[in-house]
């Protein structure tokens, strides 16, 4: 067990998983606990949330779990209160809530647009709204949000509501960072490109069939100059850095985890 978050209390929002295995939120929660944080994990899915809690406890970590709906302010406030009650403070809010969906402005319905913004952006706004008063009172705190390269670049196929919501998430994070910098509060985003997670495997299997999965996953990885997608570990360690005091002077910015994809203007053609 390391000590990069020793003495910290962290809330990890979205610490379950949509499909069996290691999601980004689960990986993060386990890593944060290994690094010494007391973690309050939250998710809408009770079963996978409990699995994450058991993993952490079996690993010797300190963990409490709250079932919640991230799109409800009162649920976000309950998580903050539960963290305070259990651990005495809220030093880190690690927000992992989000889900992509295909379609451009012609295909996406008004309801799908609203649902996507609620899940990917309003949930983060509520997380900030719930935790900021506590952090202000404490004299500090850290927000880390998991955004997406889709929020800063066209992702290759339309996912308009997700693109806009993740762009908004980056703006939200910057806004909080600047408004609260003088009160010891920091806010940053991790911006992953493609990540191999169970949810992605499930979705691509449903779209292309199990027989094509390997080829599709390989092609997805080749999007990155490194020739592979990110692992959940790649994302978790970037978030750990931003959540820890090691990044004490890093505020209102984004850490891109994509093997160089965003930095690349064009692929060689001759
Ligand atoms: N997988 C990728 O390629 C990729 C790339 C860039 C960014 N991201 C972002 O990373 C995050 C995690 O992705 P993942 O692939 O591990 O997905 P995942 O679906 O496994 O994890 C998301 C978690 O959020 C929970 N959740 C969903 N709606 C909720 C709600 N209303 N209230 C509370 N919890 C809710 C789910 O139950 C799940 O446990 C998302 O924000 C996603 O947008 C993923």
């Amino acid at each position: 067990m390391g000590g990069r978050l020793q003495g910290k209390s962290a809330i990890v929002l979205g610490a379950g998983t949509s499909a069996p295995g290691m999601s980004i939120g689960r990986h993060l929660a386990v890593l944060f606990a290994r690094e010494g944080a007391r973690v309050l994990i939250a998710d809408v899915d009770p079963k996978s949330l409990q699995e994450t809690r058991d993993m952490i406890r079996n690993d010797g970590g300190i963990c409490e779990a709250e079932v919640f709906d991230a799109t409800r302010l009162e649920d976000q406030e309950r998580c903050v209160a539960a963290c305070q009650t259990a651990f005495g403070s809220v030093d880190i809010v690690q927000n992992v809530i989000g889900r992509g969906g295909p379609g451009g402005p012609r295909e996406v319905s008004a309801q799908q647009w609203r649902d996507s913004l609620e899940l990917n952006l309003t949930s983060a706004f509520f997380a900030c709204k719930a935790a900021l008063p506590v952090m202000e009172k404490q004299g500090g705190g850290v927000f880390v949000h998991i955004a997406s390269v889709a929020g800063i670049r066209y992702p290759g196929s339309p996912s308009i509501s997700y693109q806009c919501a993740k762009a908004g998430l980056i703006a939200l994070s910057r806004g909080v960072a600047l408004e609260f910098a003088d009160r010891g509060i920091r806010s940053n985003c991790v911006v992953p490109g493609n990540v191999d997670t169970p949810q992605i495997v499930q979705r691509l299997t449903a779209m292309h069939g199990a027989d094509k999965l390997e080829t599709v996953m390989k092609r997805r990885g080749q999007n990155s100059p490194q020739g592979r997608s990110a692992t959940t570990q790649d994302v978790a360690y970037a978030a750990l850095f931003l959540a820890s005091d090691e990044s004490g002077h890093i505020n209102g910015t984004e850490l891109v985890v994509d093997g160089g994809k965003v930095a690349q203007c064009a692929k060689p053609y001759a």
Side-chain angles (χ1 to χ4, degrees):
M1 210 179 260
R4 294 171 67 184
L5 298 180
Q6 203 59 48
K8 308 275 189 197
S9 308
I11 299 178
V12 182
L13 303 167
T17 179
S18 295
M22 208 64 165
S23 65
I24 293 171
R26 175 173 281 173
H27 202 135
L28 266 166
V30 170
L31 179 64
F32 280 23
R34 277 202 187 143
E35 291 297 334
R38 301 168 299 247
V39 289
L40 183 294
I41 59 171
D43 202 282
V44 76
D45 176 43
K47 185 170 172 283
S48 66
L49 182 68
Q50 201 178 333
E51 284 165 9
T52 307
R53 188 197 62 190
D54 293 348
M55 270 182 195
I56 293 171
R57 288 185 177 171
N58 292 339
D59 204 30
I62 299 171
C63 181
E64 297 296 333
E66 285 282 321
V67 176
F68 91 132
D69 180 348
T71 65
R72 293 167 58 95
L73 178 58
E74 56 270 39
D75 284 20
Q76 295 273 6
E77 287 169 341
R78 177 162 50 80
C79 290
V80 169
C83 187
Q84 271 192 304
T85 305
F87 308 137
S89 62
V90 180
D91 304 309
I92 299 160
V93 173
Q94 170 63 64
N95 169 36
V96 194
I97 300 292
R99 188 173 179 86
R106 284 184 305 173
E107 297 82 26
V108 169
S109 71
Q111 193 55 49
Q112 284 169 331
W113 169 267
R114 285 193 195 100
D115 289 348
S116 177
L117 262 71
E118 278 274 297
L119 183 68
N120 291 293
L121 181 55
T122 308
S123 63
F125 168 63
F126 286 163
C128 297
K129 210 169 169 51
L132 277 166
V134 174
M135 289 183 179
E136 270 197 277
K137 218 181 239 177
Q138 287 171 183
V142 181
F143 291 96
V144 182
H145 300 281
I146 306 297
S148 167
V149 160
I152 55 174
R153 294 284 189 279
Y154 184 67
S157 60
S159 180
I160 194 70
S161 62
Y162 184 68
Q163 293 165 240
C164 294
K166 289 294 191 183
L169 179 60
I170 291 169
L172 171 77
S173 176
R174 288 183 187 170
V176 167
L178 272 291
E179 187 182 343
F180 293 91
D182 61 355
R183 276 154 279 180
I185 296 170
R186 296 189 296 118
S187 180
N188 293 293
C189 289
V190 175
V191 181
N194 294 324
V195 190
D196 284 345
T197 65
Q199 172 262 131
I200 290 290
V201 170
Q202 195 176 64
R203 190 164 0 144
L204 293 180
T205 307
M207 281 167 73
H208 302 282
D211 52 326
K212 298 232 174 64
L213 181 67
E214 202 183 322
T215 314
V216 173
M217 292 294 281
K218 203 167 161 201
R219 256 199 258 132
R220 188 171 178 262
Q222 282 162 353
N223 252 317
S224 167
Q226 285 188 338
R228 68 166 179 90
S229 296
T231 62
T232 52
Q233 175 167 302
D234 291 324
V235 180
Y237 271 96
L240 170 64
F241 170 64
L242 291 176
S244 76
D245 292 340
E246 295 159 11
S247 60
H249 199 48
I250 298 177
N251 194 26
T253 193
E254 296 81 46
L255 180 49
V256 177
V257 180
D258 71 346
K261 186 166 75 169
V262 158
Q264 188 174 51
C265 175
K267 289 191 173 170
Y269 56 88

